[in-house]
Amino acid sequence: MKRIIIEGNKTLSGTIKIGGAKNSAVALIPAAILAEGTSVIKNVPNISDKDALLEILNLLNVQVTDEKNALIINAKEAQNKLITENLSNKLRASYYFMGALLGRFKKVEMYFPGGCNIGSRPIDLHLKGFEALGAKVKRKKSKYIIEAKELKGADIYLDFASVGATINILFAAVLATGKTVIHNAAREVEIENIAKFLNKMGAKIKGAGTETIKITGVKKLNGATINVIPDRIEAGTYIIMGALIGKNLIVDGVNPNHLKVVLNKLKEMGVKMKINRHQVILNKCDKLKAVNVRTVVYPGFPTDLGQPVSVLLTQAEGVSQFEETIFENRMGHVPNLQKMGAKIEYERQHAIFYGPNKLHGAELTATDLRSGAALVTAGLIADGTTIINDADHILRGYERIITKLSDVGAKIEIEEV
Ligand code: UD1
């Protein structure tokens, strides 16, 4: 286990370069297995979730060359093997091997995926989608055997616009016979990135990024090259830090169009920023206004930034309301912020912030990836020393976070305990 130690109250100044989007990369890597050839994925973030996916590719006899930020993946000799419980459990995105292996081999055996403990996170919509395409799903405790004689295109209606289910159904449908239509599909920009990769491989997908995605199955896919889009959640996290303690902090390599709703919310709070084509430049804002934040599916306020933005709410003058609508258990940061002096009342998926509150350093525990990011943000603005235990969660999704923050003036270290 690792822990992060922060000496707070320093100014952040300089440039932070944003990496490739975690939620795109973790789907693009399994997608490469759909091609009987070599694919190149560029701008892959250096996060521990990537390492876990490469372990799975290794098990499946897929050849991978890891060159700086590019992965060269040759899946020609891929073998369909049981993905062990230990590997399935390492991350949420292991579930993308369900759709990818089912698409390529018409059979997959693996276990329930791992990932952050932020709610029950069932995979029923993924499985219903596979079944609609003609697969049979057998479950023995947490092991799934999903098999199809033939995958046939179908009309699929998602009860909820799930990111994971939309992508998994895409993976199974691109090599099915006939037409598939996904209704009420998730519209996240990462899904457009993944559909672009699949189309470059030879798939026929239309409408990615909208709520209706149409797929015409093809017989075979070839390797292709794709760039991972910038990580809007990593960018949003550093933008929030800049609003709190920035002095001309340049968050670089961003696509501001992917963050419109977040930037608008920050403007509503009175955050001063300059938005260029690929940069957001921030300065500390002395007087932040209280606002209400409600997380919803894309293009609404992203659930993955709900925890980091909470730190901003502790500094706003007045009463701010916060509601998390996607996951049942995404308040792990709140007791930690309370420990630092934040006045917050919360129950289940609602929290009320009474700000502004001066935060002081404390010993904290990251309960999940984005709560960890919130605690780093809080530690940076607090008086004194903050210790964040279970910091491994943070490294799953923020590449080189210690170096990136140290380079702009933060006093932050990580150590093994
Ligand atoms: C993905 C992201 C995660 C982000 C989330 C929402 C990855 C690896 N993770 O997670 O960072 O917070 O989207 O933007 O990309 N649900 C069901 N049944 C299902 C699937 C989902 O009930 O079969 C529910 C979930 O419990 C949750 C909601 O739908 O309440 C949204 O889940 P989903 O969009 O699928 O999120 P993930 O793919 O898990």
Side-chain angles (χ1 to χ4, degrees):
M1 276 294 165
K2 293 186 172 60
R3 65 177 193 171
I4 286 178
I5 302 155
I6 302 170
E7 281 302 322
N9 247 334
K10 307 276 183 263
T11 299
L12 301 185
S13 195
T15 302
I16 296 188
K17 181 97 182 122
I18 297 308
K22 162 186 170 285
N23 287 351
S24 248
V26 297
L28 291 168
I29 295 170
I33 214 169
L34 285 160
E36 289 170 41
T38 301
S39 291
V40 181
I41 308 176
K42 295 180 178 170
N43 197 31
V44 178
N46 194 3
I47 50 178
S48 58
D49 267 10
K50 175 194 97 175
D51 302 334
L53 290 169
L54 296 193
E55 274 187 65
I56 299 180
L57 287 182
N58 185 41
L59 170 90
L60 301 175
N61 198 39
V62 175
Q63 312 304 314
V64 182
T65 314
D66 193 347
E67 279 184 0
K68 280 194 182 164
N69 287 351
L71 290 176
I72 303 160
I73 303 177
N74 179 353
K76 194 156 191 258
E77 310 291 335
Q79 291 168 4
N80 194 10
K81 292 188 184 165
L82 165 76
I83 300 175
T84 60
E85 188 155 21
N86 172 41
L87 284 176
S88 304
N89 259 322
K90 278 197 174 174
L91 76 170
R92 187 78 194 153
S94 63
Y95 59 22
Y96 289 132
F97 282 99
M98 283 187 171
L101 288 173
L102 184 65
R104 171 140 174 203
F105 296 104
K106 313 295 175 248
K107 182 174 179 183
V108 53
E109 283 187 66
M110 66 173 286
Y111 289 80
F112 193 79
C116 287
N117 181 16
I118 51 177
S120 61
R121 307 186 85 179
I123 56 167
D124 57 312
L125 301 174
H126 305 232
L127 302 176
K128 276 189 211 166
F130 298 146
E131 282 172 337
L133 294 170
K136 294 254 174 306
V137 178
K138 277 189 223 148
R139 185 178 169 181
K140 287 182 194 155
K141 291 190 181 159
S142 60
K143 182 179 167 189
Y144 293 84
I145 303 168
I146 309 167
E147 209 170 352
K149 280 205 183 78
E150 186 192 0
L151 291 171
K152 281 191 187 159
D155 258 316
I156 299 172
Y157 295 82
L158 293 180
D159 295 334
F160 186 90
S162 152
V163 173
T166 301
I167 295 174
N168 245 337
I169 294 168
L170 265 181
F171 289 169
V174 284
L175 288 171
T177 53
K179 265 197 168 172
T180 298
V181 183
I182 311 176
H183 301 270
N184 194 29
R187 287 172 286 164
E188 269 72 358
V189 281
E190 289 77 16
I191 292 170
E192 287 181 60
N193 197 200
I194 289 142
K196 187 175 174 187
F197 183 42
L198 294 171
N199 280 339
K200 284 179 116 184
M201 290 161 99
K204 290 189 176 152
I205 304 167
K206 283 188 179 153
T210 76
E211 59 190 27
T212 310
I213 304 182
K214 294 182 180 161
I215 306 133
T216 305
V218 296
K219 286 215 164 71
K220 193 173 172 263
L221 295 174
N222 304 306
T225 298
I226 189 79
N227 271 312
V228 181
I229 56 168
D231 196 313
R232 62 195 166 97
I233 307 301
E234 186 197 19
T237 306
Y238 291 127
I239 287 169
I240 290 166
M241 290 177 186
L244 288 162
I245 45 167
K247 191 172 175 203
N248 284 324
L249 181 73
I250 303 171
V251 181
D252 186 38
V254 190
N255 185 338
N257 287 330
H258 297 171
L259 278 161
K260 271 187 191 156
V261 66
V262 176
L263 297 174
N264 273 341
K265 188 52 74 180
L266 266 51
K267 274 186 198 154
E268 195 185 327
M269 295 186 79
V271 172
K272 292 179 209 123
M273 55 189 150
K274 198 168 161 222
I275 303 168
N276 296 333
R277 211 162 146 229
H278 298 298
Q279 291 180 333
V280 182
I281 304 165
L282 296 121
N283 280 293
K284 175 185 166 140
C285 182
D286 290 325
K287 220 170 173 234
L288 288 165
K289 289 185 211 124
V291 288
N292 297 334
V293 178
R294 187 168 186 265
T295 65
V296 269
V297 293
Y298 193 85
F301 196 97
T303 169
D304 285 347
L305 284 175
Q307 290 164 311
V309 87
S310 297
V311 182
L312 206 54
L313 300 183
T314 68
Q315 302 308 302
E317 274 188 34
V319 181
S320 296
Q321 303 259 4
F322 174 77
E323 187 186 358
E324 162 59 41
T325 74
I326 313 286
F327 293 106
E328 315 88 285
N329 187 18
R330 226 169 187 184
M331 294 288 180
H333 59 306
V334 174
N336 284 293
L337 293 178
Q338 287 171 328
K339 216 171 162 186
M340 300 175 88
K343 290 198 181 67
I344 309 170
E345 282 171 10
Y346 78 109
E347 198 184 4
R348 293 148 66 106
Q349 290 165 246
H350 292 84
I352 307 173
F353 291 73
Y354 301 91
N357 314 129
K358 184 72 204 135
L359 302 186
H360 54 78
E363 182 162 352
L364 313 171
T365 302
T367 52
D368 56 83
L369 166 61
R370 307 297 171 188
S371 91
L375 300 187
V376 170
T377 310
L380 290 172
I381 66 165
D383 280 340
T385 306
T386 295
I387 295 172
I388 305 169
N389 294 311
D390 291 355
D392 307 63
H393 287 297
I394 302 165
L395 306 183
R396 289 195 26 237
Y398 290 86
E399 65 166 12
R400 302 187 297 106
I401 185 168
I402 305 298
T403 315
K404 285 189 184 186
L405 285 171
S406 301
D407 286 352
V408 293
K411 216 162 172 302
I412 180 168
E413 285 171 12
I414 192 159
E415 60 180 34
E416 194 73 48
V417 279

